[in-house]
Coordinates of all heavy atoms in Angstrom, one line a residue:
I380 N 134.1 -17.9 138.6 CA 134.2 -18.9 137.5 C 135.4 -19.9 138.0 O 136.5 -19.5 138.3 CB 134.8 -18.2 136.2 CG1 133.7 -17.3 135.7 CG2 135.0 -19.4 135.2 CD1 134.1 -16.4 134.6
F381 N 135.0 -21.2 138.2 CA 135.8 -22.2 138.6 C 136.1 -23.2 137.4 O 135.2 -23.9 137.1 CB 135.2 -23.0 139.8 CG 135.0 -22.1 141.1 CD1 133.7 -21.6 141.2 CD2 136.0 -21.8 141.9 CE1 133.4 -20.8 142.3 CE2 135.8 -21.0 143.0 CZ 134.4 -20.5 143.3
P382 N 137.3 -23.3 137.0 CA 137.6 -24.2 135.9 C 137.2 -25.6 136.2 O 137.4 -26.1 137.4 CB 139.3 -24.1 135.8 CG 139.5 -22.8 136.3 CD 138.4 -22.5 137.4
K383 N 136.5 -26.3 135.2 CA 136.1 -27.7 135.4 C 135.0 -27.9 136.4 O 134.5 -29.1 136.6 CB 137.3 -28.5 135.6 CG 138.4 -28.7 134.7 CD 139.5 -29.6 135.1 CE 140.5 -29.7 134.1 NZ 141.7 -30.6 134.4
I384 N 134.5 -26.8 136.9 CA 133.3 -26.9 137.9 C 132.2 -26.0 137.4 O 131.0 -26.5 137.2 CB 133.7 -26.4 139.3 CG1 134.9 -27.3 139.9 CG2 132.5 -26.5 140.2 CD1 135.4 -26.9 141.2
G385 N 132.3 -24.8 137.1 CA 131.3 -24.0 136.6 C 131.4 -22.6 137.0 O 132.3 -22.2 137.7
S386 N 130.4 -21.9 136.7 CA 130.3 -20.4 137.0 C 129.2 -20.3 138.1 O 128.1 -20.9 137.8 CB 130.0 -19.5 135.8 OG 131.1 -19.6 134.9
F387 N 129.3 -19.4 138.9 CA 128.3 -19.1 140.0 C 128.3 -17.5 140.3 O 129.2 -16.9 140.2 CB 128.7 -19.9 141.3 CG 128.9 -21.3 141.2 CD1 130.1 -21.9 140.6 CD2 127.9 -22.2 141.6 CE1 130.3 -23.3 140.4 CE2 128.0 -23.5 141.3 CZ 129.2 -24.0 140.8
V388 N 127.0 -17.3 140.7 CA 126.9 -16.0 141.3 C 127.7 -15.9 142.6 O 127.6 -16.7 143.5 CB 125.4 -15.6 141.6 CG1 125.2 -14.2 142.2 CG2 124.5 -15.7 140.3
S389 N 128.4 -14.9 142.8 CA 129.2 -14.6 144.1 C 128.3 -14.6 145.1 O 127.2 -13.9 145.1 CB 130.1 -13.5 143.9 OG 131.1 -13.6 142.9
R390 N 128.7 -15.2 146.2 CA 127.9 -15.0 147.5 C 128.3 -13.6 148.0 O 129.3 -13.1 147.7 CB 128.2 -16.1 148.5 CG 127.6 -17.4 148.0 CD 127.7 -18.5 149.0 NE 129.1 -19.0 149.2 CZ 129.4 -20.0 150.1 NH1 128.5 -20.5 150.7 NH2 130.8 -20.3 150.0
V391 N 127.3 -12.9 148.7 CA 127.5 -11.7 149.2 C 128.7 -11.6 150.2 O 128.7 -12.4 151.1 CB 126.3 -11.1 150.0 CG1 126.5 -9.7 150.5 CG2 125.2 -11.0 148.9
D392 N 129.6 -10.8 149.9 CA 130.9 -10.7 150.7 C 130.8 -9.6 151.8 O 130.9 -8.3 151.4 CB 132.1 -10.5 149.8 CG 133.5 -10.5 150.6 OD1 133.5 -10.3 151.7 OD2 134.4 -10.7 149.9
P393 N 130.6 -9.8 153.1 CA 130.5 -8.8 154.1 C 131.6 -7.8 154.1 O 131.5 -6.6 154.3 CB 130.4 -9.5 155.4 CG 129.8 -10.9 155.0 CD 130.4 -11.2 153.6
A394 N 132.8 -8.3 153.7 CA 134.0 -7.4 153.6 C 133.9 -6.4 152.5 O 134.3 -5.1 152.7 CB 135.3 -8.2 153.5
Q395 N 133.3 -6.9 151.3 CA 133.1 -5.9 150.2 C 132.0 -5.0 150.5 O 132.0 -3.8 150.2 CB 133.0 -6.7 148.9 CG 134.3 -7.5 148.4 CD 134.1 -7.9 147.0 OE1 133.8 -7.1 146.2 NE2 134.4 -9.1 146.9
V396 N 131.0 -5.5 151.3 CA 129.9 -4.6 151.6 C 130.4 -3.5 152.5 O 130.1 -2.3 152.3 CB 128.8 -5.4 152.4 CG1 127.8 -4.5 153.0 CG2 128.1 -6.4 151.5
A397 N 131.2 -3.8 153.5 CA 131.8 -2.8 154.3 C 132.7 -1.8 153.6 O 132.6 -0.5 153.8 CB 132.7 -3.5 155.4
D398 N 133.4 -2.2 152.7 CA 134.3 -1.3 151.9 C 133.4 -0.4 151.0 O 133.7 0.8 151.1 CB 135.3 -2.1 150.9 CG 136.3 -2.9 151.6 OD1 136.6 -2.5 152.8 OD2 137.0 -3.7 151.0
A399 N 132.4 -0.9 150.3 CA 131.5 -0.1 149.6 C 130.7 0.9 150.4 O 130.5 2.0 150.1 CB 130.6 -0.9 148.7
Q400 N 130.3 0.4 151.6 CA 129.5 1.3 152.5 C 130.5 2.4 153.1 O 130.0 3.6 153.3 CB 129.0 0.5 153.8 CG 127.9 1.3 154.6 CD 128.6 2.2 155.5 OE1 129.6 2.1 156.0 NE2 127.6 3.1 155.9
F401 N 131.7 2.1 153.3 CA 132.7 3.2 153.8 C 132.8 4.2 152.7 O 132.8 5.4 153.0 CB 134.0 2.4 154.2 CG 135.1 3.4 154.4 CD1 135.3 3.9 155.7 CD2 136.0 3.8 153.5 CE1 136.2 4.9 156.0 CE2 136.9 4.7 153.7 CZ 137.1 5.3 155.0
L402 N 133.0 3.8 151.5 CA 133.1 4.7 150.3 C 131.9 5.6 150.2 O 132.0 6.8 150.1 CB 133.4 4.0 149.0 CG 133.3 4.8 147.8 CD1 134.4 5.8 147.8 CD2 133.5 3.9 146.5
R403 N 130.7 4.9 150.3 CA 129.5 5.6 150.2 C 129.2 6.6 151.2 O 128.9 7.8 151.0 CB 128.4 4.6 150.1 CG 127.0 5.3 149.9 CD 125.8 4.3 149.7 NE 124.5 5.1 149.5 CZ 123.4 4.5 149.4 NH1 123.2 3.2 149.5 NH2 122.3 5.3 149.1

């Protein structure tokens, strides 16, 4: 959510993918 711009679906974050994959 960006004030005065709008809300957007987050783009896929490879770093968060790696963290989740590590946990899984």
Side-chain angles (χ1 to χ4, degrees):
I380 300 173
F381 300 98
K383 300 182 180 180
I384 298 176
S386 299
F387 299 81
V388 177
S389 297
R390 293 186 287 181
V391 176
D392 186 340
Q395 293 195 48
V396 172
D398 287 344
Q400 196 281 334
F401 175 82
L402 171 65
R403 181 178 183 182

